[in-house]
Amino acid sequence: MLLVLNKISKTYTVGKSHSRKVLSDLFLEVKAGSTSSIIGPSGSGKTSLLNIIGTLDQADHGQLFFKEKDITTYSDKQLAFFRNSEIGYIFQRHFLLPQYTLLDNVLLPTLPLKDRSLKEERKSRGTALLKTLGIWDQRHQKPSDLSLGECQRAAVARALINQPSLILADEPTGSLDQSNSETLADLLFEINETQNTALILVTHDVEIAARANQRYLLKNGKLELQIPSF
């Protein structure tokens, strides 16, 4: 099993005297190379769940196992290495740095690498990704010169540059029109098939969610497996 979440709970303090529990003894298993989609109303905890899986946030209680290792015991330095090497994160907004070219943005996750040959391998991978995603000709342009669809594809390339085992996509099509949304969704599921990279996708788009192997509804702090109708 690639990922196991065991009894994950998360509560946020609202004001001085109120609290809101968004995750409650949540359990999830994700196999290598699988696809999982999570739907649910705004405020149900979908982004909080992804942030905990990606170690951008910590659960109040529970354990997170990745490749049978308990990530909740890791130091900050170990977590930073884990995120950079194992997790590819795609947000609703592309978060490209405006002062850098598209190619430089894609290569940012490779900066901590010390091995020169590995850096060169990653640079070659970046070239291949940009060509596959159809934005190689724009590699020297800055985000302000690109369309939203092009920027989001660059964000996908950046997430994939270090060959992660798991992609976390948080409403990746939320800022795109229907045509670009379908194109990006196609790319994510194609990457899953061709590179065997597991995908966890949070979305409000039920058609995109239905394409995943496992479909979940986040409700009352727990994940409910949805049975597809035929």
Side-chain angles (χ1 to χ4, degrees):
M1 196 65 63
L2 178 69
L3 172 74
V4 177
L5 275 67
N6 183 37
K7 295 186 176 180
I8 293 292
S9 296
K10 183 68 176 180
T11 298
Y12 290 103
T13 300
V14 182
K16 294 183 178 180
S17 57
H18 298 282
S19 62
R20 184 167 66 91
K21 196 166 193 176
V22 293
L23 304 175
S24 178
D25 289 334
L26 180 145
F27 181 81
L28 174 66
E29 289 185 337
V30 175
K31 295 180 180 179
S34 66
T35 56
S36 304
S37 62
I38 301 173
I39 61 173
S42 297
S44 60
K46 301 185 299 298
T47 294
S48 295
L49 177 57
L50 281 196
N51 286 344
I52 289 171
I53 294 172
T55 70
L56 296 175
D57 196 4
Q58 291 183 332
D60 298 326
H61 305 286
Q63 293 173 294
L64 191 161
F65 295 93
F66 196 90
K67 296 180 178 178
E68 301 183 353
K69 296 180 180 178
D70 187 353
I71 305 302
T72 55
T73 66
Y74 278 20
S75 66
D76 290 344
K77 185 176 181 179
Q78 287 174 310
L79 287 175
F81 179 81
F82 166 76
R83 281 192 297 271
N84 200 47
S85 60
E86 296 284 9
I87 303 294
Y89 220 124
I90 304 170
F91 302 89
Q92 181 173 349
R93 297 182 180 180
H94 54 76
F95 290 121
L96 300 180
L97 297 182
Q99 68 270 35
Y100 293 120
T101 66
L102 184 151
L103 179 58
D104 287 338
N105 267 286
V106 169
L107 293 176
L108 278 175
T110 69
L111 291 179
L113 299 177
K114 305 297 183 184
D115 188 318
R116 179 171 290 183
S117 62
L118 185 57
K119 273 184 173 289
E120 287 300 317
E121 187 275 330
R122 291 291 190 262
K123 189 172 182 179
S124 297
R125 178 173 170 78
T127 296
L129 284 168
L130 293 182
K131 289 179 178 179
T132 298
L133 295 172
I135 48 176
W136 173 247
D137 290 342
Q138 294 90 330
R139 64 191 181 279
H140 297 309
Q141 293 179 263
K142 294 183 178 179
S144 58
D145 300 320
L146 304 171
S147 69
L148 280 177
E150 289 168 335
C151 286
Q152 198 66 337
R153 276 182 276 170
V156 172
R158 180 182 58 193
L160 292 170
I161 191 67
N162 282 334
Q163 295 183 291
S165 303
L166 174 63
I167 296 175
L168 302 177
D170 190 3
E171 295 284 0
T173 64
S175 61
L176 303 177
D177 58 32
Q178 183 174 356
S179 177
N180 278 311
S181 294
E182 292 174 355
T183 298
L184 183 59
D186 288 342
L187 285 170
L188 291 175
F189 284 99
E190 181 181 346
I191 288 164
N192 163 259
E193 291 180 4
T194 59
Q195 302 188 27
N196 200 41
T197 304
L199 170 67
I200 300 178
L201 171 72
V202 162
T203 182
H204 281 102
D205 190 320
V206 293
E207 292 185 3
I208 293 177
R211 297 175 62 175
N213 305 137
Q214 303 290 324
R215 296 162 290 279
Y216 296 95
L217 170 65
L218 184 55
K219 183 179 180 181
N220 298 324
K222 290 182 171 62
L223 289 171
E224 297 179 1
L225 184 63
Q226 304 294 287
I227 306 300
S229 56
F230 298 97

PDB file of all heavy atoms in Angstrom, residues 83-100:
ATOM      1  N   ARG A  83       8.443  15.662   0.967  1.00  0.00           N
ATOM      2  CA  ARG A  83       7.555  16.415   0.080  1.00  0.00           C
ATOM      3  C   ARG A  83       8.175  16.609  -1.297  1.00  0.00           C
ATOM      4  O   ARG A  83       7.503  16.467  -2.323  1.00  0.00           O
ATOM      5  CB  ARG A  83       7.235  17.790   0.681  1.00  0.00           C
ATOM      6  CG  ARG A  83       6.188  17.787   1.765  1.00  0.00           C
ATOM      7  CD  ARG A  83       5.727  19.200   2.078  1.00  0.00           C
ATOM      8  NE  ARG A  83       6.813  20.015   2.605  1.00  0.00           N
ATOM      9  CZ  ARG A  83       7.110  20.108   3.903  1.00  0.00           C
ATOM     10  NH1 ARG A  83       6.405  19.431   4.787  1.00  0.00           N
ATOM     11  NH2 ARG A  83       8.089  20.890   4.304  1.00  0.00           N
ATOM     12  N   ASN A  84       9.448  16.941  -1.323  1.00  0.00           N
ATOM     13  CA  ASN A  84      10.099  17.265  -2.592  1.00  0.00           C
ATOM     14  C   ASN A  84      10.326  16.036  -3.456  1.00  0.00           C
ATOM     15  O   ASN A  84      10.341  16.128  -4.684  1.00  0.00           O
ATOM     16  CB  ASN A  84      11.436  17.968  -2.330  1.00  0.00           C
ATOM     17  CG  ASN A  84      11.926  18.743  -3.527  1.00  0.00           C
ATOM     18  OD1 ASN A  84      11.170  19.488  -4.152  1.00  0.00           O
ATOM     19  ND2 ASN A  84      13.186  18.585  -3.867  1.00  0.00           N
ATOM     20  N   SER A  85      10.506  14.880  -2.827  1.00  0.00           N
ATOM     21  CA  SER A  85      10.840  13.681  -3.584  1.00  0.00           C
ATOM     22  C   SER A  85       9.644  12.778  -3.878  1.00  0.00           C
ATOM     23  O   SER A  85       9.636  12.073  -4.898  1.00  0.00           O
ATOM     24  CB  SER A  85      11.909  12.874  -2.843  1.00  0.00           C
ATOM     25  OG  SER A  85      11.452  12.490  -1.557  1.00  0.00           O
ATOM     26  N   GLU A  86       8.633  12.798  -3.019  1.00  0.00           N
ATOM     27  CA  GLU A  86       7.532  11.836  -3.156  1.00  0.00           C
ATOM     28  C   GLU A  86       6.190  12.448  -3.555  1.00  0.00           C
ATOM     29  O   GLU A  86       5.326  11.752  -4.071  1.00  0.00           O
ATOM     30  CB  GLU A  86       7.339  11.075  -1.829  1.00  0.00           C
ATOM     31  CG  GLU A  86       8.525  10.200  -1.422  1.00  0.00           C
ATOM     32  CD  GLU A  86       8.610   8.917  -2.216  1.00  0.00           C
ATOM     33  OE1 GLU A  86       7.872   8.754  -3.202  1.00  0.00           O
ATOM     34  OE2 GLU A  86       9.448   8.064  -1.856  1.00  0.00           O
ATOM     35  N   ILE A  87       6.016  13.751  -3.305  1.00  0.00           N
ATOM     36  CA  ILE A  87       4.717  14.385  -3.516  1.00  0.00           C
ATOM     37  C   ILE A  87       4.797  15.434  -4.617  1.00  0.00           C
ATOM     38  O   ILE A  87       5.694  16.280  -4.618  1.00  0.00           O
ATOM     39  CB  ILE A  87       4.212  15.060  -2.224  1.00  0.00           C
ATOM     40  CG1 ILE A  87       4.137  14.058  -1.072  1.00  0.00           C
ATOM     41  CG2 ILE A  87       2.843  15.714  -2.472  1.00  0.00           C
ATOM     42  CD1 ILE A  87       3.109  12.967  -1.245  1.00  0.00           C
ATOM     43  N   GLY A  88       3.855  15.372  -5.542  1.00  0.00           N
ATOM     44  CA  GLY A  88       3.672  16.438  -6.529  1.00  0.00           C
ATOM     45  C   GLY A  88       2.356  17.129  -6.233  1.00  0.00           C
ATOM     46  O   GLY A  88       1.302  16.498  -6.234  1.00  0.00           O
ATOM     47  N   TYR A  89       2.413  18.427  -5.930  1.00  0.00           N
ATOM     48  CA  TYR A  89       1.216  19.163  -5.504  1.00  0.00           C
ATOM     49  C   TYR A  89       0.767  20.099  -6.612  1.00  0.00           C
ATOM     50  O   TYR A  89       1.550  20.906  -7.117  1.00  0.00           O
ATOM     51  CB  TYR A  89       1.536  19.968  -4.240  1.00  0.00           C
ATOM     52  CG  TYR A  89       0.436  19.967  -3.195  1.00  0.00           C
ATOM     53  CD1 TYR A  89       0.678  19.555  -1.891  1.00  0.00           C
ATOM     54  CD2 TYR A  89      -0.856  20.366  -3.517  1.00  0.00           C
ATOM     55  CE1 TYR A  89      -0.326  19.544  -0.928  1.00  0.00           C
ATOM     56  CE2 TYR A  89      -1.865  20.365  -2.571  1.00  0.00           C
ATOM     57  CZ  TYR A  89      -1.595  19.948  -1.281  1.00  0.00           C
ATOM     58  OH  TYR A  89      -2.593  19.941  -0.338  1.00  0.00           O
ATOM     59  N   ILE A  90      -0.510  20.009  -6.975  1.00  0.00           N
ATOM     60  CA  ILE A  90      -1.096  20.912  -7.963  1.00  0.00           C
ATOM     61  C   ILE A  90      -2.262  21.641  -7.296  1.00  0.00           C
ATOM     62  O   ILE A  90      -3.205  21.011  -6.823  1.00  0.00           O
ATOM     63  CB  ILE A  90      -1.601  20.149  -9.196  1.00  0.00           C
ATOM     64  CG1 ILE A  90      -0.465  19.316  -9.806  1.00  0.00           C
ATOM     65  CG2 ILE A  90      -2.159  21.117 -10.239  1.00  0.00           C
ATOM     66  CD1 ILE A  90      -0.936  18.350 -10.871  1.00  0.00           C
ATOM     67  N   PHE A  91      -2.174  22.957  -7.250  1.00  0.00           N
ATOM     68  CA  PHE A  91      -3.181  23.773  -6.582  1.00  0.00           C
ATOM     69  C   PHE A  91      -4.177  24.335  -7.602  1.00  0.00           C
ATOM     70  O   PHE A  91      -3.968  24.253  -8.816  1.00  0.00           O
ATOM     71  CB  PHE A  91      -2.521  24.935  -5.835  1.00  0.00           C
ATOM     72  CG  PHE A  91      -1.500  24.510  -4.809  1.00  0.00           C
ATOM     73  CD1 PHE A  91      -0.171  24.332  -5.166  1.00  0.00           C
ATOM     74  CD2 PHE A  91      -1.870  24.284  -3.489  1.00  0.00           C
ATOM     75  CE1 PHE A  91       0.782  23.947  -4.231  1.00  0.00           C
ATOM     76  CE2 PHE A  91      -0.926  23.889  -2.546  1.00  0.00           C
ATOM     77  CZ  PHE A  91       0.399  23.727  -2.918  1.00  0.00           C
ATOM     78  N   GLN A  92      -5.253  24.932  -7.081  1.00  0.00           N
ATOM     79  CA  GLN A  92      -6.227  25.566  -7.972  1.00  0.00           C
ATOM     80  C   GLN A  92      -5.574  26.707  -8.742  1.00  0.00           C
ATOM     81  O   GLN A  92      -5.825  26.906  -9.924  1.00  0.00           O
ATOM     82  CB  GLN A  92      -7.429  26.086  -7.176  1.00  0.00           C
ATOM     83  CG  GLN A  92      -8.497  26.732  -8.061  1.00  0.00           C
ATOM     84  CD  GLN A  92      -9.748  27.100  -7.283  1.00  0.00           C
ATOM     85  OE1 GLN A  92      -9.921  26.703  -6.140  1.00  0.00           O
ATOM     86  NE2 GLN A  92     -10.625  27.858  -7.903  1.00  0.00           N
ATOM     87  N   ARG A  93      -4.720  27.468  -8.060  1.00  0.00           N
ATOM     88  CA  ARG A  93      -3.932  28.504  -8.722  1.00  0.00           C
ATOM     89  C   ARG A  93      -2.535  27.946  -8.980  1.00  0.00           C
ATOM     90  O   ARG A  93      -2.017  27.163  -8.177  1.00  0.00           O
ATOM     91  CB  ARG A  93      -3.861  29.756  -7.851  1.00  0.00           C
ATOM     92  CG  ARG A  93      -5.234  30.396  -7.623  1.00  0.00           C
ATOM     93  CD  ARG A  93      -5.110  31.655  -6.792  1.00  0.00           C
ATOM     94  NE  ARG A  93      -6.406  32.263  -6.564  1.00  0.00           N
ATOM     95  CZ  ARG A  93      -6.592  33.391  -5.865  1.00  0.00           C
ATOM     96  NH1 ARG A  93      -5.538  34.018  -5.347  1.00  0.00           N
ATOM     97  NH2 ARG A  93      -7.810  33.884  -5.706  1.00  0.00           N
ATOM     98  N   HIS A  94      -1.941  28.383 -10.058  1.00  0.00           N
ATOM     99  CA  HIS A  94      -0.664  27.770 -10.466  1.00  0.00           C
ATOM    100  C   HIS A  94       0.514  28.134  -9.558  1.00  0.00           C
ATOM    101  O   HIS A  94       1.462  27.377  -9.431  1.00  0.00           O
ATOM    102  CB  HIS A  94      -0.341  28.152 -11.914  1.00  0.00           C
ATOM    103  CG  HIS A  94      -0.346  29.625 -12.177  1.00  0.00           C
ATOM    104  ND1 HIS A  94       0.672  30.469 -11.783  1.00  0.00           N
ATOM    105  CD2 HIS A  94      -1.265  30.410 -12.807  1.00  0.00           C
ATOM    106  CE1 HIS A  94       0.407  31.699 -12.165  1.00  0.00           C
ATOM    107  NE2 HIS A  94      -0.767  31.703 -12.783  1.00  0.00           N
ATOM    108  N   PHE A  95       0.479  29.308  -8.925  1.00  0.00           N
ATOM    109  CA  PHE A  95       1.544  29.763  -8.018  1.00  0.00           C
ATOM    110  C   PHE A  95       2.932  29.733  -8.677  1.00  0.00           C
ATOM    111  O   PHE A  95       3.931  29.417  -8.024  1.00  0.00           O
ATOM    112  CB  PHE A  95       1.565  28.927  -6.726  1.00  0.00           C
ATOM    113  CG  PHE A  95       0.376  29.178  -5.847  1.00  0.00           C
ATOM    114  CD1 PHE A  95      -0.481  28.130  -5.505  1.00  0.00           C
ATOM    115  CD2 PHE A  95       0.096  30.443  -5.359  1.00  0.00           C
ATOM    116  CE1 PHE A  95      -1.590  28.354  -4.710  1.00  0.00           C
ATOM    117  CE2 PHE A  95      -1.017  30.674  -4.552  1.00  0.00           C
ATOM    118  CZ  PHE A  95      -1.850  29.636  -4.228  1.00  0.00           C
ATOM    119  N   LEU A  96       2.991  30.056  -9.960  1.00  0.00           N
ATOM    120  CA  LEU A  96       4.284  30.231 -10.608  1.00  0.00           C
ATOM    121  C   LEU A  96       4.894  31.547 -10.135  1.00  0.00           C
ATOM    122  O   LEU A  96       4.186  32.535  -9.932  1.00  0.00           O
ATOM    123  CB  LEU A  96       4.130  30.251 -12.130  1.00  0.00           C
ATOM    124  CG  LEU A  96       3.543  29.006 -12.794  1.00  0.00           C
ATOM    125  CD1 LEU A  96       3.470  29.204 -14.301  1.00  0.00           C
ATOM    126  CD2 LEU A  96       4.341  27.766 -12.461  1.00  0.00           C
ATOM    127  N   LEU A  97       6.204  31.575  -9.965  1.00  0.00           N
ATOM    128  CA  LEU A  97       6.876  32.796  -9.537  1.00  0.00           C
ATOM    129  C   LEU A  97       6.986  33.749 -10.728  1.00  0.00           C
ATOM    130  O   LEU A  97       7.543  33.381 -11.773  1.00  0.00           O
ATOM    131  CB  LEU A  97       8.258  32.476  -8.982  1.00  0.00           C
ATOM    132  CG  LEU A  97       8.276  31.598  -7.713  1.00  0.00           C
ATOM    133  CD1 LEU A  97       9.708  31.382  -7.239  1.00  0.00           C
ATOM    134  CD2 LEU A  97       7.439  32.218  -6.605  1.00  0.00           C
ATOM    135  N   PRO A  98       6.448  34.967 -10.592  1.00  0.00           N
ATOM    136  CA  PRO A  98       6.341  35.864 -11.756  1.00  0.00           C
ATOM    137  C   PRO A  98       7.672  36.322 -12.332  1.00  0.00           C
ATOM    138  O   PRO A  98       7.753  36.675 -13.506  1.00  0.00           O
ATOM    139  CB  PRO A  98       5.553  37.059 -11.194  1.00  0.00           C
ATOM    140  CG  PRO A  98       5.791  37.026  -9.722  1.00  0.00           C
ATOM    141  CD  PRO A  98       5.899  35.580  -9.373  1.00  0.00           C
ATOM    142  N   GLN A  99       8.737  36.313 -11.525  1.00  0.00           N
ATOM    143  CA  GLN A  99      10.036  36.805 -11.995  1.00  0.00           C
ATOM    144  C   GLN A  99      10.824  35.767 -12.785  1.00  0.00           C
ATOM    145  O   GLN A  99      11.862  36.089 -13.373  1.00  0.00           O
ATOM    146  CB  GLN A  99      10.872  37.320 -10.819  1.00  0.00           C
ATOM    147  CG  GLN A  99      11.353  36.264  -9.840  1.00  0.00           C
ATOM    148  CD  GLN A  99      10.375  36.013  -8.707  1.00  0.00           C
ATOM    149  OE1 GLN A  99       9.163  36.069  -8.906  1.00  0.00           O
ATOM    150  NE2 GLN A  99      10.905  35.744  -7.517  1.00  0.00           N
ATOM    151  N   TYR A 100      10.344  34.528 -12.802  1.00  0.00           N
ATOM    152  CA  TYR A 100      11.072  33.452 -13.478  1.00  0.00           C
ATOM    153  C   TYR A 100      10.352  33.011 -14.751  1.00  0.00           C
ATOM    154  O   TYR A 100       9.133  33.145 -14.875  1.00  0.00           O
ATOM    155  CB  TYR A 100      11.243  32.249 -12.560  1.00  0.00           C
ATOM    156  CG  TYR A 100      12.144  32.501 -11.380  1.00  0.00           C
ATOM    157  CD1 TYR A 100      11.674  32.366 -10.073  1.00  0.00           C
ATOM    158  CD2 TYR A 100      13.473  32.869 -11.564  1.00  0.00           C
ATOM    159  CE1 TYR A 100      12.499  32.601  -8.985  1.00  0.00           C
ATOM    160  CE2 TYR A 100      14.307  33.104 -10.476  1.00  0.00           C
ATOM    161  CZ  TYR A 100      13.820  32.970  -9.203  1.00  0.00           C
ATOM    162  OH  TYR A 100      14.638  33.213  -8.127  1.00  0.00           O
TER     163      TYR A 100
END
